[in-house]
């Protein structure tokens, strides 16, 4: 919580982890449950799995998948690590599967569950159930009475429930169906996402929702409340530490905030931000090698894949975001890096009606002093309609930076960097240099060749090739197989090819030298990305079963690698990330991963990648540490118990004896000086018979090696080694007298 660094990654479940809970009897242990049907007990301080209980918490009826039951499980006592629990007993019916809708109260005397308009309370000692119902009429007063979450007081018989209308109800006397009472607290204007009581005395109630504000209701009264505003995103979950000195909030943008008892944020653990839509696609910052894509509204996020940590956010729109679902927001739709990360182009738009389009393009220059991007040029309405694509010319020997934008208005525009200096200061700015079109068709795609000499622009079903020096139309390709969805030039030895994927599921490869179709394949390509460091191209197709990956070279229609069902859902974006240190895979199935690693993003915004190692192989357990030995040095590994915590260590005497023994030389291992002379004599007698044969092979080797040059290292024969061994035993101490 202080450094925001990851301490341990607990791996063991084979399916989605559905819940985690601290052990109430030992706060150094953690329970976790999963769809794999197991509950695991961990020592999270050391990252050790203690026990596995094979059971299932939730059972659903075969008739309806949304009806769940809550059951209690009797855990048998056993010393084995894996235990199978079979004794189940019914507790509550018709409950919500969300953990936020189930809570234990008053030190485990009862459990409360909410769903729709119903509150159910089960008392474990009495084995009785009380049920309460709120009005579900469709009038304005009761239209949003739905329960959304529940929390129970740790010491008293008090239940707090959150509702869709933003109200919080505090229930008391709920052991009697007729004498129960509740009071209302109301501040949230939208549904209450989660509730939590303070642990020690339960004097404070915490609530959060879509307002991105943490509210603390002290003494559970509406007059005495405190706020922690501007937390950045909707509060999804609230948790309190066992000591009660820290609060924790989990947010919809994949972020965790650690908060002190006085409502001051102390740490932010930010994952990959989940936005409502990823319009920009996946990009790689050439400078930081960070993954760049849409982040929080109006921002670009720079995310380090190596450290699994967000580096920073770049505010593109530079306006205050108003969290209102009825308000049409300004959206960041396009972005591209150019000139090895020196320039960044972004496009933002807002359209309230079909005829009212607000469009703005911004060009950002990297500032070495501030180590960030600074706005250089702002262009209002660069096109008369939506911009469909933009790309920089990233040729190595490019004198003047060039940017191309394509639009539905039927034009593509070429923007160049010009001198914008005046009498006050020197400056540069971007201006339009050329406007191109083709028979008033909508421009849908654009891309430069690797050397920057050619520009390919897609106009619906037609691909046009332009000379980047004169901006003359060189040739056109048309297959009448639907509008062009993706365009991509080949690289390195395949730079003479141009690839295009159409909306009708046809992948075409054209030869730019012969201006003819090289080959075509029927493939419904949704993502097509070239590897910047090889000839390989990755294409992801969509089928009724899932998404499939094809890796190929434009020069060969036969794929190098095929992986079926990489995802059950639609894959929207992909990108190759260059490796800092290239791999050396020899297998044909993995060679395409030598220089770059391929990442792809699914519709649910899950970021996935390919790896040749299993999760177990990626870890470096202490039991697999290697001990290196050499004739002139000895490196020792301490026993693996040293890396464990103190309460599981053996006695110090045992460890010390092991350590001391490991430093001692073994009796079987003797240096060359300790070998007695009679051993050498025996070796000489045994090897006399083989000297003739060795001399013959040495002569043949000498005659064969004479033609190879003088750099060949001469190998000593056994007889020569014996002579050297004799010289080594001679006493040369008399030389010191001289």
């Amino acid at each position: 919580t202080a450094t925001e660094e990851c301490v341990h990654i607990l791996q063991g479940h084979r399916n989605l982890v559905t819940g985690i809970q601290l052990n109430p009897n030992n706060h150094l242990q953690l329970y976790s449950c999963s769809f794999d049907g197991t509950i695991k007990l961990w020592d999270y301080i050391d990252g050790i799995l203690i026990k596995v209980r094979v059971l299932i918490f939730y059972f659903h009826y075969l008739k309806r998948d949304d009806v769940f039951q809550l059951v209690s499980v009797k855990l048998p006592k056993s010393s084995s690590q894996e235990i199978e629990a079979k004794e189940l007993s019914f507790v509550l019916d018709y409950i919500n599967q969300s953990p936020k809708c189930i809570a234990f109260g008053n030190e485990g005397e009862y459990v409360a569950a909410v769903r729709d308009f119903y509150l159910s309370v089960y008392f474990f000692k009495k084995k009785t159930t009380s049920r309460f119902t709120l009005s579900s009429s469709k009038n304005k007063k009761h239209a949003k009475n739905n329960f959304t979450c529940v929390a129970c007081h740790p010491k008293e018989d008090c239940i707090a429930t959150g509702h869709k209308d933003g109200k919080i109800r505090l229930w008391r006397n709920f052991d009697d169906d007729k004498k129960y009472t509740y009071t209302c607290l109301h501040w949230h204007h939208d549904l209450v996402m989660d509730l939590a009581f303070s642990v020690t005395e339960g004097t404070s109630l915490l609530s959060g929702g879509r307002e991105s504000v943490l509210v603390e209701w002290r003494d559970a009264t509406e007059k005495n409340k405190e706020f922690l505003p501007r937390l950045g995103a909707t509060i999804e979950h609230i948790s309190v530490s066992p000591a009660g000195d820290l609060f924790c909030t989990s947010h919809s943008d994949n972020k965790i905030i650690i908060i002190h008892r006085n409502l001051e944020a102390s740490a932010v653990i930010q994952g990959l931000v989940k936005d409502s839509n990823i319009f920009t696609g996946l990009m790689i910052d050439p400078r930081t090698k960070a993954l760049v894509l849409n982040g929080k509204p109006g921002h670009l996020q720079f995310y380090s894949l190596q450290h699994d940590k967000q580096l920073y956010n770049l505010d593109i729109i530079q306006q205050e975001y108003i969290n209102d679902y009825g308000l049409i927001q300004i959206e960041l739709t396009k972005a591209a890096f150019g000139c090895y990360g020196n320039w960044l182009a972004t496009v933002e738009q807002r359209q309230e009606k079909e005829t009212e389009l607000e469009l703005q393009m911004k060009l950002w220059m990297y500032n070495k002093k501030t180590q960030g991007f600074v706005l250089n040029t702002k262009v209002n309405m660069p096109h008369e309609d939506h911009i469909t694509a933009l790309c920089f010319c990233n040729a190595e020997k490019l004198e003047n930076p060039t940017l191309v934008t394509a639009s539905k208005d039927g034009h593509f525009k070429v923007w160049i960097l010009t001198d914008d200096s005046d009498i006050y200061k020197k400056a540069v700015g971007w201006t339009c240099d050329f406007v191109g079109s083709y028979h008033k068709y909508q421009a849908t795609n654009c891309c430069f060749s690797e050397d920057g000499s050619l520009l390919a622009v897609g106009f619906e079903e037609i691909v046009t090739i332009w000379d980047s020096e004169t901006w003359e139309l060189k040739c056109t390709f048309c297959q009448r197989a639907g509008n062009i969805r993706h365009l991509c030039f080949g690289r390195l030895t395949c730079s003479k090819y141009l690839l295009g994927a159409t909306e009708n599921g046809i992948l075409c490869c054209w030869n730019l030298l012969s201006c003819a179709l090289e080959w075509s394949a029927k493939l419904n390509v949704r993502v097509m990305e070239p590897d910047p460091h090889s000839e390989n191209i990755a294409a992801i197709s969509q089928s009724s079963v899932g998404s499939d990956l094809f890796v190929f070279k434009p020069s060969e229609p036969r794929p190098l690698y095929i992986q079926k069902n990489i995802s059950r859902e639609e894959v929207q974006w992909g990108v190759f990330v260059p490796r800092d240190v290239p791999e050396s895979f020899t297998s044909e199935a993995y060679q395409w991963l030598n220089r770059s690693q391929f990442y792809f993003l699914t519709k649910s915004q899950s970021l996935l990648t390919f790896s040749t190692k299993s999760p177990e192989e990626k870890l470096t357990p202490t039991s697999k540490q290697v001990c290196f030995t050499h004739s002139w040095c000895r490196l020792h590994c301490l026993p693996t118990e040293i890396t464990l915590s103190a309460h599981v260590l053996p006695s110090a005497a045992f460890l010390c004896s092991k350590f001391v023994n490991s430093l001692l030389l073994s009796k079987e291992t003797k240096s060359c000086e300790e070998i007695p002379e009679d051993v050498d004599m025996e070796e000489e007698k045994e090897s006399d018979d083989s000297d003739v044969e060795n001399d013959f092979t040495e002569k043949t080797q000498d005659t064969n090696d004479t033609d190879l040059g003088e750099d060949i290292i001469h190998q000593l024969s056994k007889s020569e080694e014996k002579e050297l061994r004799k010289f080594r035993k001679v006493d040369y101490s008399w030389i010191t007298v001289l």
Side-chain angles (χ1 to χ4, degrees):
T1 59
T3 62
E4 306 172 15
E5 295 295 332
C6 178
V7 178
H8 286 295
I9 298 178
L10 306 179
Q11 292 184 338
H13 286 292
R14 298 181 180 179
N15 208 328
L16 179 68
V17 178
T18 56
I20 55 175
Q21 182 68 44
L22 290 177
N23 186 352
N25 299 322
N26 187 350
H27 291 158
L28 300 179
Q29 296 178 353
L30 176 74
Y31 284 101
S32 65
C33 58
S34 168
F35 278 152
D36 60 8
T38 63
I39 292 181
K40 298 181 184 294
L41 178 63
W42 306 84
D43 182 342
Y44 64 86
I45 298 297
D46 299 322
I48 301 173
L49 178 62
I50 301 175
K51 281 191 178 182
V52 179
R53 293 176 172 87
V54 182
L55 48 89
I56 300 176
F57 252 125
Y58 296 99
F59 296 87
H60 62 81
Y61 293 110
L62 297 178
K63 296 181 180 179
R64 291 183 58 185
D65 292 340
D66 61 339
V67 178
F68 288 80
Q69 292 180 333
L70 180 65
V71 299
S72 64
V73 182
K74 185 177 181 180
L75 302 179
K77 295 181 179 180
S78 175
S79 59
S80 61
Q81 187 180 33
E82 185 169 331
I83 306 172
E84 184 175 354
K86 299 180 180 179
E87 297 185 22
L88 308 177
S89 59
F90 169 79
V91 177
L92 288 174
D93 194 6
Y94 193 74
I95 66 169
N96 194 309
Q97 60 177 326
S98 173
K100 296 189 293 185
C101 296
I102 303 172
F104 290 86
N106 201 352
E107 298 181 350
E109 289 189 2
Y110 59 87
V111 59
V114 295
R115 175 168 179 164
D116 298 336
F117 299 93
Y118 307 100
L119 167 64
S120 303
V121 183
Y122 179 81
F123 298 91
F124 289 98
K125 292 182 179 180
K126 301 178 182 179
K127 295 185 178 181
T128 59
T129 303
S130 299
R131 300 183 184 275
F132 309 95
T133 306
L134 294 178
S135 175
S136 58
S137 59
K138 295 184 179 180
N139 57 42
K140 293 183 178 180
K141 184 177 180 181
H142 305 290
K144 296 183 178 181
N145 275 342
N146 311 59
F147 288 92
T148 57
C149 56
V150 63
C152 297
H153 198 285
K155 302 293 184 181
E156 302 175 3
D157 290 339
C158 177
I159 298 176
T161 58
H163 299 266
K164 193 175 180 179
D165 58 1
K167 293 182 181 179
I168 300 172
R169 288 179 169 87
L170 298 176
W171 301 74
R172 301 181 186 276
N173 301 324
F174 42 81
D175 55 345
D176 193 326
D177 296 346
K178 297 181 180 180
K179 296 182 180 180
Y180 74 92
T181 60
Y182 66 78
T183 57
C184 288
L185 306 175
H186 196 188
W187 179 87
H188 299 278
H189 79 278
D190 209 333
L191 62 88
V192 180
M193 297 297 295
D194 200 9
L195 295 168
F197 278 97
S198 58
V199 174
T200 53
E201 298 296 334
T203 55
S204 297
L205 175 65
L206 302 172
S207 65
R210 291 176 175 169
E211 304 85 1
S212 306
V213 178
L214 180 65
V215 185
E216 181 182 9
W217 309 83
R218 295 181 178 176
D219 300 324
T221 58
E222 191 163 0
K223 295 182 180 180
N224 192 6
K225 55 181 177 289
E226 299 291 337
F227 304 95
L228 179 60
R230 294 183 292 275
L231 295 180
T234 300
I235 297 176
E236 297 279 357
H237 303 277
I238 303 174
S239 180
V240 183
S241 66
D245 56 338
L246 293 175
F247 304 146
C248 179
T249 57
S250 173
H251 297 259
S252 59
D253 62 348
N254 200 21
K255 174 179 60 183
I256 296 175
I257 300 180
I258 310 299
I259 303 169
H260 284 297
R261 185 65 183 82
N262 57 356
L263 293 186
E264 290 185 0
S266 64
V268 178
I269 304 173
Q270 178 69 69
L272 191 66
V273 177
K274 297 181 66 175
D275 197 4
S276 57
N277 291 294
I278 304 297
F279 295 110
T280 61
L282 303 181
M283 301 169 291
I284 298 298
D285 180 13
R287 290 182 175 273
T288 62
K289 301 298 185 296
L291 180 69
V292 183
L293 67 161
N294 287 102
K296 60 183 184 179
H299 291 70
L300 281 177
Q301 60 173 322
F302 290 69
Y303 195 84
S304 173
L305 295 170
Q306 291 78 12
H307 301 91
D308 193 19
K309 184 178 181 180
Q310 187 183 86
L311 300 180
Y312 64 95
N313 280 292
L314 179 62
D315 189 0
I316 302 297
I317 295 179
Q318 298 180 337
Q319 290 186 8
E320 188 69 27
Y321 178 76
I322 301 175
N323 190 1
D324 190 347
Y325 284 89
L327 182 64
I328 298 177
Q329 308 284 352
I330 301 176
E331 294 178 336
L332 177 60
T333 57
K334 300 292 178 183
F337 286 95
C339 304
Y340 304 99
N342 291 327
W343 290 95
L344 170 65
T346 60
V347 176
E348 56 196 64
Q349 67 179 32
R350 180 180 183 273
Q351 188 172 16
E352 193 165 354
K353 297 180 180 179
E354 292 185 2
T355 57
E356 298 179 359
L357 175 64
E358 301 175 16
L359 200 62
Q360 195 171 71
M361 182 174 70
K362 295 178 181 178
L363 290 116
W364 308 74
M365 182 174 62
Y366 185 80
N367 190 316
K368 294 183 179 180
K369 293 183 179 179
T370 61
Q371 296 292 303
F373 287 94
V374 179
L375 182 61
N376 176 267
T377 304
K378 183 189 298 184
V379 182
N380 291 318
M381 294 304 296
H383 287 272
E384 297 178 359
D385 206 339
H386 296 275
I387 293 179
T388 57
L390 75 163
C391 64
F392 280 93
C393 180
N394 291 318
E396 293 184 1
K397 298 181 180 180
L398 183 66
E399 296 181 358
N400 196 19
T402 305
L403 171 70
V404 173
T405 57
S407 172
K408 290 184 178 180
D409 61 3
H411 298 91
F412 73 91
K413 293 186 177 181
V414 180
W415 308 81
I416 61 173
L417 187 64
T418 59
D419 187 7
D420 196 20
S421 303
D422 52 24
I423 60 175
Y424 300 103
K425 62 178 181 179
K426 292 183 178 181
V428 292
W430 290 80
T431 183
C432 182
D433 182 61
F434 177 78
V435 179
S437 62
Y438 187 81
H439 296 294
K440 297 182 180 180
Y441 291 137
Q442 291 184 354
T444 55
N445 305 92
C446 62
C447 65
F448 278 97
S449 61
E450 185 179 12
D451 60 357
S453 61
L454 297 177
L455 171 69
V457 182
F459 289 93
E460 297 182 7
E461 295 183 346
I462 302 172
V463 179
T464 59
I465 307 298
W466 305 75
D467 189 337
S468 63
E469 292 186 1
T470 61
W471 301 116
E472 293 181 359
L473 180 63
K474 289 297 184 181
C475 64
T476 60
F477 300 115
C478 181
Q479 297 301 317
R480 298 298 178 186
N483 292 345
I484 301 296
R485 181 184 289 168
H486 301 285
L487 272 179
C488 173
F489 277 97
R491 302 182 65 85
L492 301 178
T493 60
C494 298
S495 58
K496 64 179 180 179
Y497 298 103
L498 174 66
L499 291 161
T502 67
E503 293 180 349
N504 293 346
I506 301 296
L507 177 62
C508 303
C509 179
W510 294 282
N511 192 319
L512 298 174
L513 299 181
S514 62
C515 295
L517 181 67
E518 188 78 10
W519 55 267
S520 64
K522 188 172 180 60
L523 197 65
N524 185 19
V525 178
R526 295 301 180 92
V527 175
M528 187 167 66
E529 286 292 327
D531 184 359
H533 294 293
S534 71
E535 298 90 348
N536 300 325
I537 292 178
I540 298 179
S541 65
Q542 181 70 24
S543 63
S544 58
V545 180
S547 298
D548 305 327
L549 172 69
F550 299 86
V551 180
F552 61 93
K553 293 182 180 181
S555 58
E556 300 177 8
R558 183 181 65 88
L560 302 173
Y561 178 78
I562 299 176
Q563 180 67 50
K564 295 288 187 178
N565 297 327
I566 60 173
S567 175
R568 295 181 179 179
E569 55 183 332
E570 178 185 353
V571 177
Q572 294 184 332
W573 304 102
V575 67
F576 276 98
V577 180
R579 296 184 185 273
D580 295 333
V581 179
E583 298 286 351
S584 57
F585 301 126
T586 56
S587 173
E588 292 184 0
Y590 302 140
Q591 283 183 357
W592 66 283
L593 294 172
N594 277 340
R595 294 183 174 273
S596 303
Q597 191 171 3
F598 185 67
Y599 287 81
F600 59 94
L601 191 73
T602 64
K603 189 175 182 179
S604 62
Q605 298 187 21
S606 297
L607 184 65
L608 306 174
T609 187
F610 290 87
S611 176
T612 58
K613 296 181 180 180
S614 63
E616 290 78 9
E617 291 175 340
K618 291 180 182 179
L619 299 177
T620 309
T622 54
S623 60
K624 294 184 180 180
Q625 291 180 356
V626 183
C627 178
F628 297 92
T629 59
H630 198 269
S631 59
W632 52 269
C633 69
R634 295 177 59 88
L635 302 179
H636 299 273
C637 287
L638 298 182
T640 56
E641 290 85 0
I642 289 294
T643 60
L644 302 178
S645 56
H647 65 277
V648 294
L649 282 174
S651 63
F654 175 79
L655 293 178
C656 290
S657 61
K658 287 285 185 181
F659 176 69
V660 172
N661 289 334
S662 66
L663 296 177
L664 298 177
L665 291 176
S666 175
K667 294 182 179 179
E668 299 178 6
T669 305
K670 297 184 178 181
S671 62
C672 296
E673 290 77 8
E674 296 174 343
I675 300 177
E677 296 183 1
D678 55 349
V679 176
D680 291 338
M681 297 300 293
E682 291 178 2
E683 290 180 355
E684 290 178 6
K685 293 179 182 179
E686 293 174 357
S687 59
D688 283 342
D689 298 334
S690 61
D691 284 345
V692 178
E693 183 180 353
N694 289 337
D695 292 339
F696 175 76
T697 56
E698 288 166 11
K699 292 179 181 179
T700 55
Q701 289 179 357
D702 291 341
T703 55
N704 294 333
D705 293 342
T706 52
D707 298 333
L708 299 178
E710 299 179 357
D711 296 333
I712 302 299
I713 300 175
H714 178 68
Q715 268 191 336
L716 297 177
S717 65
K718 289 187 176 180
S719 58
E720 291 174 336
E721 289 182 356
K722 294 172 190 173
E723 293 295 328
L724 289 176
R725 198 176 295 127
K726 292 178 181 179
F727 280 109
R728 187 174 56 187
K729 296 174 184 178
V730 178
D731 186 12
Y732 295 100
S733 59
W734 57 273
I735 299 179
T736 57
V737 180
L738 299 178

